[in-house]
Each structure stands twice: as structure tokens, then as C-alpha cells.
Coordinates of all heavy atoms in Angstrom, one line a residue:
M1 N -1.2 5.1 -8.2 CA -1.8 4.1 -9.0 C -0.8 3.7 -10.1 O -1.2 3.4 -11.3 CB -3.1 4.5 -9.6 CG -4.1 4.9 -8.5 SD -4.4 3.5 -7.3 CE -4.1 4.2 -5.8
L2 N 0.5 3.7 -9.8 CA 1.5 3.4 -10.7 C 1.4 2.0 -11.3 O 1.7 1.7 -12.4 CB 2.9 3.6 -10.1 CG 3.3 5.0 -9.9 CD1 4.6 5.1 -9.1 CD2 3.4 5.8 -11.2
A3 N 0.9 1.1 -10.4 CA 0.8 -0.3 -10.8 C 0.0 -0.5 -12.0 O 0.3 -1.2 -13.0 CB 0.3 -1.2 -9.7
A4 N -1.2 0.2 -12.0 CA -2.1 0.1 -13.2 C -1.5 0.7 -14.4 O -1.6 0.2 -15.5 CB -3.4 0.8 -12.8
R5 N -0.8 1.9 -14.2 CA -0.2 2.6 -15.3 C 0.9 1.7 -16.0 O 1.1 1.8 -17.2 CB 0.4 3.9 -14.9 CG 0.8 4.8 -16.0 CD 1.3 6.1 -15.6 NE 0.6 6.7 -14.5 CZ 1.2 7.6 -13.7 NH1 2.4 8.0 -13.9 NH2 0.5 8.1 -12.6
F6 N 1.6 0.9 -15.2 CA 2.6 0.1 -15.8 C 2.2 -1.3 -16.1 O 3.1 -2.2 -16.2 CB 3.9 0.1 -14.9 CG 4.6 1.4 -14.9 CD1 4.4 2.4 -13.9 CD2 5.4 1.7 -16.0 CE1 5.1 3.6 -13.9 CE2 6.1 3.0 -16.0 CZ 5.9 3.9 -15.0
G7 N 0.9 -1.6 -16.2 CA 0.5 -2.8 -16.8 C -0.1 -3.9 -15.8 O -0.4 -5.0 -16.2
A8 N -0.2 -3.6 -14.5 CA -0.7 -4.5 -13.6 C -2.2 -4.8 -13.9 O -2.9 -3.9 -14.3 CB -0.6 -4.0 -12.1
D9 N -2.6 -6.1 -13.8 CA -4.0 -6.4 -14.0 C -4.8 -6.7 -12.8 O -6.0 -7.0 -12.8 CB -4.1 -7.6 -15.0 CG -3.4 -8.8 -14.5 OD1 -2.9 -8.8 -13.4 OD2 -3.5 -9.8 -15.2
C10 N -4.1 -6.5 -11.6 CA -4.8 -6.8 -10.3 C -4.0 -6.1 -9.2 O -2.8 -6.0 -9.3 CB -4.8 -8.3 -10.1 SG -5.6 -8.8 -8.5
L11 N -4.7 -5.6 -8.3 CA -4.1 -5.0 -7.0 C -4.6 -5.8 -5.9 O -5.7 -6.2 -5.8 CB -4.5 -3.6 -6.8 CG -4.1 -2.5 -7.8 CD1 -4.7 -1.2 -7.5 CD2 -2.6 -2.4 -7.8
E12 N -3.7 -6.1 -4.9 CA -4.0 -6.8 -3.7 C -3.8 -5.8 -2.5 O -2.7 -5.2 -2.5 CB -3.2 -8.0 -3.5 CG -3.4 -9.1 -4.6 CD -2.6 -10.3 -4.4 OE1 -2.0 -10.5 -3.4 OE2 -2.7 -11.1 -5.3
T13 N -4.7 -5.7 -1.6 CA -4.6 -4.9 -0.5 C -4.7 -5.7 0.8 O -5.5 -6.6 0.9 CB -5.6 -3.7 -0.4 OG1 -6.9 -4.3 -0.3 CG2 -5.5 -2.8 -1.6
I14 N -3.9 -5.4 1.8 CA -4.0 -5.9 3.1 C -4.3 -4.8 4.0 O -3.5 -3.9 4.1 CB -2.8 -6.7 3.5 CG1 -2.5 -7.8 2.5 CG2 -2.9 -7.2 4.9 CD1 -1.2 -8.5 2.7
M15 N -5.4 -4.8 4.6 CA -5.8 -3.6 5.4 C -5.0 -3.5 6.7 O -4.8 -4.6 7.4 CB -7.3 -3.7 5.8 CG -8.2 -3.9 4.6 SD -7.9 -2.8 3.2 CE -8.1 -1.2 3.9
P16 N -4.6 -2.3 7.1 CA -3.9 -2.2 8.4 C -4.8 -2.4 9.6 O -6.0 -2.5 9.4 CB -3.4 -0.7 8.3 CG -4.2 -0.1 7.3 CD -4.7 -1.1 6.4
P17 N -4.3 -2.5 10.8 CA -5.1 -2.7 11.9 C -6.2 -1.6 12.0 O -6.0 -0.4 11.6 CB -4.1 -2.5 13.1 CG -2.8 -2.9 12.5 CD -2.9 -2.4 11.1
R18 N -7.3 -2.0 12.5 CA -8.5 -1.1 12.5 C -8.2 0.3 13.2 O -8.7 1.3 12.8 CB -9.6 -1.8 13.3 CG -11.0 -1.2 13.0 CD -12.1 -2.1 13.5 NE -12.3 -3.2 12.6 CZ -12.8 -3.1 11.3 NH1 -13.0 -1.9 10.8 NH2 -13.0 -4.2 10.6
K19 N -7.4 0.3 14.2 CA -7.1 1.6 14.9 C -6.3 2.6 14.0 O -6.3 3.8 14.3 CB -6.4 1.4 16.2 CG -5.0 0.7 16.0 CD -4.4 0.4 17.4 CE -3.2 -0.5 17.1 NZ -2.7 -1.0 18.4
E20 N -5.7 2.1 12.9 CA -4.9 3.0 12.1 C -5.7 3.5 10.9 O -5.2 4.4 10.1 CB -3.7 2.3 11.6 CG -2.7 1.9 12.7 CD -1.5 1.2 12.2 OE1 -1.3 1.1 11.0 OE2 -0.8 0.7 13.0
I21 N -6.9 3.0 10.6 CA -7.6 3.5 9.4 C -9.1 3.4 9.8 O -9.6 2.5 10.4 CB -7.3 2.6 8.2 CG1 -7.9 3.2 7.0 CG2 -7.8 1.2 8.4 CD1 -7.4 2.7 5.7
N22 N -9.8 4.5 9.4 CA -11.2 4.6 9.8 C -12.1 3.7 9.0 O -13.1 3.2 9.4 CB -11.7 6.1 9.7 CG -11.1 6.9 10.8 OD1 -10.7 6.4 11.9 ND2 -10.9 8.2 10.5
S23 N -11.8 3.6 7.7 CA -12.7 2.9 6.8 C -11.9 2.1 5.7 O -11.6 2.6 4.7 CB -13.6 3.9 6.1 OG -14.4 3.2 5.1
P24 N -11.7 0.8 6.0 CA -11.0 0.0 5.0 C -11.8 0.0 3.6 O -11.2 0.1 2.6 CB -11.0 -1.4 5.6 CG -11.2 -1.2 7.0 CD -12.0 0.0 7.2
S25 N -13.1 0.0 3.7 CA -13.9 0.0 2.5 C -13.7 1.3 1.8 O -13.8 1.4 0.5 CB -15.3 -0.4 2.7 OG -15.9 0.6 3.6
G26 N -13.5 2.4 2.5 CA -13.3 3.7 1.9 C -12.0 3.7 1.1 O -12.0 4.3 0.0
L27 N -11.0 3.1 1.6 CA -9.7 3.0 0.9 C -9.9 2.3 -0.4 O -9.5 2.7 -1.5 CB -8.6 2.3 1.7 CG -7.3 2.0 1.0 CD1 -6.6 3.3 0.6 CD2 -6.4 1.2 1.9
V28 N -10.6 1.1 -0.4 CA -10.8 0.3 -1.6 C -11.7 1.1 -2.6 O -11.4 1.1 -3.8 CB -11.5 -1.0 -1.3 CG1 -11.9 -1.7 -2.5 CG2 -10.5 -1.9 -0.5
Q29 N -12.6 1.8 -2.1 CA -13.5 2.7 -3.0 C -12.7 3.7 -3.7 O -12.8 4.0 -4.9 CB -14.6 3.3 -2.2 CG -15.6 4.0 -3.1 CD -16.8 4.5 -2.3 OE1 -16.9 4.4 -1.1 NE2 -17.8 5.0 -3.0
Q30 N -11.7 4.3 -3.0 CA -10.8 5.3 -3.6 C -10.0 4.7 -4.7 O -9.8 5.3 -5.7 CB -9.9 6.0 -2.5 CG -10.7 6.9 -1.6 CD -9.7 7.5 -0.5 OE1 -8.5 7.2 -0.5 NE2 -10.3 8.2 0.4
I31 N -9.5 3.5 -4.4 CA -8.7 2.8 -5.4 C -9.5 2.5 -6.6 O -9.1 2.8 -7.8 CB -8.1 1.5 -4.9 CG1 -7.0 1.8 -3.8 CG2 -7.4 0.7 -6.0 CD1 -6.6 0.6 -3.0
Q32 N -10.8 2.0 -6.4 CA -11.6 1.7 -7.5 C -11.9 2.9 -8.4 O -12.1 2.8 -9.6 CB -13.0 1.1 -7.0 CG -12.8 -0.3 -6.5 CD -14.2 -0.8 -6.1 OE1 -14.9 -0.1 -5.4 NE2 -14.5 -2.1 -6.4
E33 N -12.0 4.1 -7.8 CA -12.3 5.3 -8.6 C -11.2 5.7 -9.4 O -11.3 6.4 -10.4 CB -12.7 6.4 -7.6 CG -14.0 6.2 -6.9 CD -14.3 7.2 -5.8 OE1 -13.4 8.0 -5.5 OE2 -15.3 7.1 -5.2
R34 N -10.0 5.3 -9.1 CA -8.8 5.7 -9.8 C -8.2 4.7 -10.9 O -7.5 5.1 -11.8 CB -7.7 6.0 -8.8 CG -8.0 7.2 -8.0 CD -6.8 7.6 -7.1 NE -7.1 8.8 -6.4 CZ -7.4 9.0 -5.2 NH1 -7.5 7.9 -4.4 NH2 -7.6 10.1 -4.6
V35 N -8.6 3.4 -10.7 CA -8.0 2.4 -11.6 C -9.2 1.5 -12.1 O -10.2 1.4 -11.4 CB -6.9 1.5 -11.0 CG1 -5.7 2.4 -10.6 CG2 -7.4 0.8 -9.8
Q36 N -9.0 0.9 -13.2 CA -10.0 0.0 -13.8 C -9.5 -1.5 -13.8 O -9.7 -2.2 -14.8 CB -10.3 0.4 -15.2 CG -10.8 1.9 -15.3 CD -12.1 2.0 -14.5 OE1 -13.0 1.2 -14.6 NE2 -12.2 3.1 -13.7
I37 N -8.8 -1.9 -12.7 CA -8.3 -3.3 -12.7 C -8.9 -3.9 -11.4 O -9.4 -3.3 -10.5 CB -6.8 -3.4 -12.7 CG1 -6.2 -2.6 -11.5 CG2 -6.2 -2.8 -14.0 CD1 -4.7 -2.6 -11.4
D38 N -8.9 -5.3 -11.4 CA -9.4 -6.0 -10.2 C -8.6 -5.7 -8.9 O -7.4 -5.4 -9.0 CB -9.2 -7.5 -10.4 CG -10.2 -8.0 -11.5 OD1 -11.2 -7.4 -11.8 OD2 -9.9 -9.1 -12.0
I39 N -9.4 -5.7 -7.8 CA -8.8 -5.4 -6.5 C -9.1 -6.6 -5.6 O -10.3 -7.1 -5.6 CB -9.4 -4.2 -5.9 CG1 -9.1 -2.9 -6.8 CG2 -8.8 -4.0 -4.5 CD1 -9.8 -1.7 -6.3
K40 N -8.1 -7.2 -5.0 CA -8.3 -8.3 -4.0 C -8.0 -7.7 -2.6 O -7.0 -7.0 -2.5 CB -7.4 -9.5 -4.4 CG -7.8 -10.0 -5.8 CD -7.0 -11.2 -6.1 CE -7.2 -11.7 -7.5 NZ -8.5 -12.3 -7.7
V41 N -8.7 -8.1 -1.7 CA -8.6 -7.6 -0.3 C -8.4 -8.8 0.7 O -9.2 -9.7 0.6 CB -9.8 -6.8 0.1 CG1 -9.6 -6.3 1.5 CG2 -10.0 -5.6 -0.8
M42 N -7.4 -8.7 1.5 CA -7.3 -9.6 2.6 C -7.9 -9.0 3.8 O -7.5 -7.9 4.2 CB -5.8 -10.0 3.0 CG -5.7 -10.9 4.2 SD -4.0 -11.2 4.7 CE -3.6 -12.4 3.5
I43 N -8.9 -9.6 4.4 CA -9.7 -9.1 5.5 C -9.1 -9.7 6.8 O -9.2 -10.9 7.0 CB -11.2 -9.3 5.4 CG1 -11.7 -8.6 4.1 CG2 -11.9 -8.8 6.6 CD1 -13.1 -8.9 3.8
R44 N -8.6 -8.8 7.7 CA -8.1 -9.3 9.0 C -8.6 -8.2 10.0 O -8.6 -7.0 9.8 CB -6.6 -9.3 9.0 CG -6.1 -10.4 8.2 CD -4.6 -10.4 8.2 NE -4.1 -10.7 9.6 CZ -2.8 -10.6 9.9 NH1 -1.9 -10.2 9.1 NH2 -2.5 -10.9 11.2
P45 N -9.0 -8.6 11.2 CA -9.5 -7.7 12.2 C -8.4 -7.0 12.9 O -8.6 -6.0 13.6 CB -10.3 -8.6 13.2 CG -9.7 -9.9 13.1 CD -9.2 -10.0 11.7
H46 N -7.2 -7.5 12.9 CA -6.0 -7.0 13.5 C -4.7 -7.6 13.0 O -4.8 -8.6 12.2 CB -6.0 -7.2 15.0 CG -6.3 -8.7 15.4 ND1 -5.4 -9.7 15.2 CD2 -7.4 -9.3 15.9 CE1 -5.9 -10.8 15.6 NE2 -7.1 -10.6 16.0
S47 N -3.6 -7.1 13.3 CA -2.4 -7.7 12.8 C -1.6 -8.5 13.8 O -0.4 -8.8 13.6 CB -1.5 -6.6 12.2 OG -1.1 -5.7 13.3
C48 N -2.2 -8.8 14.9 CA -1.5 -9.4 16.0 C -1.2 -10.9 15.8 O -0.2 -11.4 16.1 CB -2.3 -9.3 17.3 SG -2.6 -7.6 17.8
H49 N -2.2 -11.6 15.3 CA -2.1 -13.1 15.1 C -3.3 -13.5 14.2 O -4.1 -12.7 13.8 CB -2.2 -13.8 16.5 CG -3.3 -13.3 17.3 ND1 -4.6 -13.6 17.1 CD2 -3.3 -12.5 18.4 CE1 -5.4 -13.1 18.0 NE2 -4.6 -12.4 18.9
F50 N -3.4 -14.8 14.0 CA -4.5 -15.3 13.1 C -5.6 -16.0 13.9 O -6.4 -16.7 13.4 CB -3.9 -16.3 12.1 CG -3.2 -15.6 11.0 CD1 -1.8 -15.5 11.0 CD2 -3.9 -15.0 9.9 CE1 -1.2 -14.8 10.0 CE2 -3.3 -14.3 8.9 CZ -1.9 -14.2 8.9
F51 N -5.5 -15.9 15.3 CA -6.6 -16.5 16.1 C -7.7 -15.4 16.3 O -7.4 -14.3 16.7 CB -6.0 -16.9 17.5 CG -5.0 -18.0 17.3 CD1 -3.7 -17.7 17.5 CD2 -5.4 -19.3 17.1 CE1 -2.7 -18.7 17.3 CE2 -4.4 -20.3 16.9 CZ -3.1 -20.0 17.0
C52 N -8.9 -15.8 16.0 CA -10.0 -14.8 16.1 C -11.1 -15.2 17.1 O -11.5 -16.4 17.1 CB -10.6 -14.7 14.7 SG -9.5 -14.0 13.5
D53 N -11.5 -14.3 17.9 CA -12.7 -14.6 18.8 C -14.0 -14.2 18.1 O -14.0 -13.8 16.9 CB -12.5 -13.8 20.1 CG -12.4 -12.3 19.9 OD1 -12.9 -11.8 18.9 OD2 -11.9 -11.6 20.9
K54 N -15.1 -14.3 18.7 CA -16.4 -14.0 18.1 C -16.5 -12.6 17.6 O -17.1 -12.3 16.6 CB -17.5 -14.3 19.1 CG -17.7 -15.8 19.3 CD -18.8 -16.1 20.3 CE -19.0 -17.6 20.5 NZ -20.1 -17.9 21.4
E55 N -15.9 -11.6 18.4 CA -16.0 -10.2 18.0 C -15.2 -10.0 16.7 O -15.6 -9.3 15.8 CB -15.4 -9.3 19.1 CG -15.5 -7.9 18.8 CD -15.0 -7.0 20.0 OE1 -15.2 -7.4 21.1 OE2 -14.3 -6.0 19.7
N56 N -14.0 -10.6 16.6 CA -13.2 -10.5 15.4 C -13.9 -11.1 14.2 O -13.9 -10.5 13.1 CB -11.8 -11.3 15.6 CG -10.9 -10.8 16.7 OD1 -10.2 -11.5 17.2 ND2 -11.0 -9.5 16.9
I57 N -14.5 -12.2 14.4 CA -15.3 -12.8 13.3 C -16.4 -11.9 12.8 O -16.6 -11.7 11.6 CB -15.7 -14.2 13.6 CG1 -14.5 -15.2 13.8 CG2 -16.7 -14.8 12.6 CD1 -14.8 -16.5 14.4
A58 N -17.1 -11.3 13.8 CA -18.2 -10.4 13.4 C -17.7 -9.2 12.7 O -18.3 -8.8 11.7 CB -18.9 -10.0 14.7
T59 N -16.6 -8.7 13.1 CA -15.9 -7.6 12.4 C -15.6 -8.0 10.9 O -15.9 -7.2 10.0 CB -14.7 -7.1 13.1 OG1 -15.0 -6.7 14.4 CG2 -14.0 -6.0 12.3
M60 N -15.0 -9.1 10.8 CA -14.6 -9.6 9.4 C -15.9 -9.8 8.5 O -15.8 -9.5 7.3 CB -13.8 -10.9 9.5 CG -12.4 -10.6 10.0 SD -11.3 -12.0 9.9 CE -12.1 -13.2 11.0
L61 N -17.0 -10.3 9.1 CA -18.2 -10.5 8.3 C -18.8 -9.2 7.9 O -19.3 -9.0 6.8 CB -19.2 -11.3 9.1 CG -18.9 -12.8 9.3 CD1 -19.8 -13.4 10.3 CD2 -18.8 -13.5 8.0
Q62 N -18.7 -8.2 8.8 CA -19.2 -6.8 8.4 C -18.3 -6.2 7.3 O -18.9 -5.7 6.4 CB -19.1 -5.9 9.6 CG -20.2 -6.2 10.7 CD -19.9 -5.4 12.0 OE1 -19.0 -4.7 12.1 NE2 -20.8 -5.6 12.9
D63 N -17.0 -6.4 7.4 CA -16.1 -5.9 6.4 C -16.4 -6.6 5.0 O -16.4 -6.0 4.0 CB -14.7 -6.0 6.8 CG -14.2 -5.1 7.9 OD1 -15.0 -4.1 8.1 OD2 -13.2 -5.3 8.5
T64 N -16.6 -7.9 5.1 CA -16.9 -8.7 3.9 C -18.1 -8.1 3.2 O -18.1 -8.0 2.0 CB -17.0 -10.2 4.2 OG1 -15.8 -10.6 4.8 CG2 -17.4 -11.0 3.0
A65 N -19.2 -7.9 4.0 CA -20.4 -7.3 3.4 C -20.1 -6.0 2.7 O -20.6 -5.7 1.6 CB -21.4 -7.2 4.5
K66 N -19.3 -5.1 3.3 CA -19.0 -3.8 2.7 C -18.2 -4.0 1.4 O -18.5 -3.3 0.4 CB -18.1 -3.0 3.7 CG -18.8 -2.5 4.9 CD -17.9 -1.8 5.8 CE -18.6 -1.4 7.1 NZ -17.6 -0.8 8.1
F67 N -17.3 -4.9 1.4 CA -16.5 -5.2 0.1 C -17.4 -5.8 -1.0 O -17.2 -5.5 -2.1 CB -15.3 -6.0 0.4 CG -14.3 -5.2 1.2 CD1 -13.9 -5.7 2.4 CD2 -13.7 -4.1 0.7 CE1 -12.9 -4.9 3.2 CE2 -12.8 -3.3 1.4 CZ -12.4 -3.8 2.6
R68 N -18.3 -6.6 -0.6 CA -19.3 -7.2 -1.6 C -20.1 -6.0 -2.2 O -20.4 -6.0 -3.4 CB -20.2 -8.2 -1.0 CG -19.5 -9.5 -0.8 CD -20.5 -10.6 -0.5 NE -19.8 -11.9 -0.4 CZ -20.0 -12.8 0.6 NH1 -20.9 -12.6 1.5 NH2 -19.3 -13.9 0.6
H69 N -20.5 -5.1 -1.4 CA -21.3 -3.9 -1.8 C -20.4 -3.1 -2.9 O -21.0 -2.6 -3.8 CB -21.7 -3.0 -0.7 CG -22.4 -1.8 -1.1 ND1 -23.7 -1.8 -1.6 CD2 -22.0 -0.5 -1.1 CE1 -24.1 -0.6 -1.8 NE2 -23.1 0.2 -1.6
L70 N -19.1 -3.1 -2.7 CA -18.2 -2.4 -3.6 C -17.8 -3.3 -4.8 O -17.0 -2.9 -5.6 CB -17.0 -2.0 -2.9 CG -17.1 -0.9 -1.8 CD1 -15.8 -0.7 -1.0 CD2 -17.6 0.4 -2.5
S71 N -18.4 -4.5 -4.9 CA -18.2 -5.4 -6.0 C -16.7 -5.9 -6.0 O -16.2 -6.2 -7.1 CB -18.5 -4.8 -7.4 OG -19.9 -4.5 -7.4
V72 N -16.1 -6.1 -4.8 CA -14.8 -6.7 -4.7 C -15.1 -8.2 -4.8 O -15.8 -8.7 -4.0 CB -14.1 -6.3 -3.4 CG1 -12.8 -7.1 -3.3 CG2 -13.8 -4.8 -3.4
P73 N -14.5 -8.9 -5.7 CA -14.8 -10.3 -5.9 C -14.3 -11.2 -4.7 O -13.3 -10.9 -4.1 CB -14.0 -10.7 -7.2 CG -13.0 -9.7 -7.3 CD -13.5 -8.5 -6.7
D74 N -15.0 -12.3 -4.5 CA -14.5 -13.3 -3.5 C -13.4 -14.0 -4.1 O -13.4 -14.4 -5.3 CB -15.6 -14.3 -3.1 CG -16.8 -13.6 -2.4 OD1 -16.5 -12.5 -1.8 OD2 -17.9 -14.2 -2.4
S75 N -12.3 -14.3 -3.4 CA -11.2 -15.1 -3.9 C -10.9 -16.3 -3.0 O -11.1 -16.3 -1.9 CB -9.9 -14.2 -3.9 OG -10.1 -13.1 -4.8

């Protein structure tokens, strides 16, 4: 959390592909517990491309709901 210690007022996270991390919202929750600055999250269902099918969109909507529960602001 060096960024916060050295004066950052916002952190941006881009979640890795789903197969590499079990809980993107868990990572954000850990960050929130350690720093008192805004966190912005880019939600993507995979890192392959920006074309999304219905399953990808459903995944992103689920992730969005989790981040809203953690009070991550919409940007």
C-alpha cells in the first residue's frame, strides 16, 4: 500500500482473468481494509478481447453488484 503512504488519493485495479483469482471482490476488500483512499475497478470477464457474450455480461453484472456492496463508486 505504498501508493497511499506516498500521497496517492485513488487506486485503480484491473482484475486478472477469472481463472487466476478466486475472488476479485475479495482483493478489493483487502485493499479497503488497508488504505483509506478511493478505489476504482475495471471489470472484465477475461483478458482476451473486449467482445462479450451473454455469459460474460452476466459475470460482469454479478461482479458489479459485489463491488457496489463494498461501496466501490461507479465511474
Side-chain angles (χ1 to χ4, degrees):
M1 304 300 126
L2 289 173
R5 192 177 322 155
F6 287 102
D9 60 359
C10 179
L11 293 175
E12 296 182 9
T13 63
I14 300 174
M15 306 314 300
R18 201 166 280 295
K19 61 186 172 192
E20 294 179 12
I21 190 166
N22 291 332
S23 175
S25 58
L27 173 63
V28 170
Q29 187 171 8
Q30 288 177 4
I31 294 169
Q32 285 180 320
E33 291 169 357
R34 292 185 173 105
V35 299
Q36 302 300 315
I37 60 178
D38 288 339
I39 300 171
K40 297 184 186 290
V41 178
M42 177 184 281
I43 298 175
R44 293 180 62 190
H46 51 71
S47 62
C48 302
H49 49 72
F50 286 98
F51 298 103
C52 298
D53 60 20
K54 289 180 181 181
E55 184 179 321
N56 295 150
I57 292 170
T59 298
M60 289 189 297
L61 290 172
Q62 290 172 356
D63 287 345
T64 300
K66 290 177 187 175
F67 290 118
R68 281 192 178 137
H69 177 71
L70 293 172
S71 299
V72 174
D74 294 339
S75 299

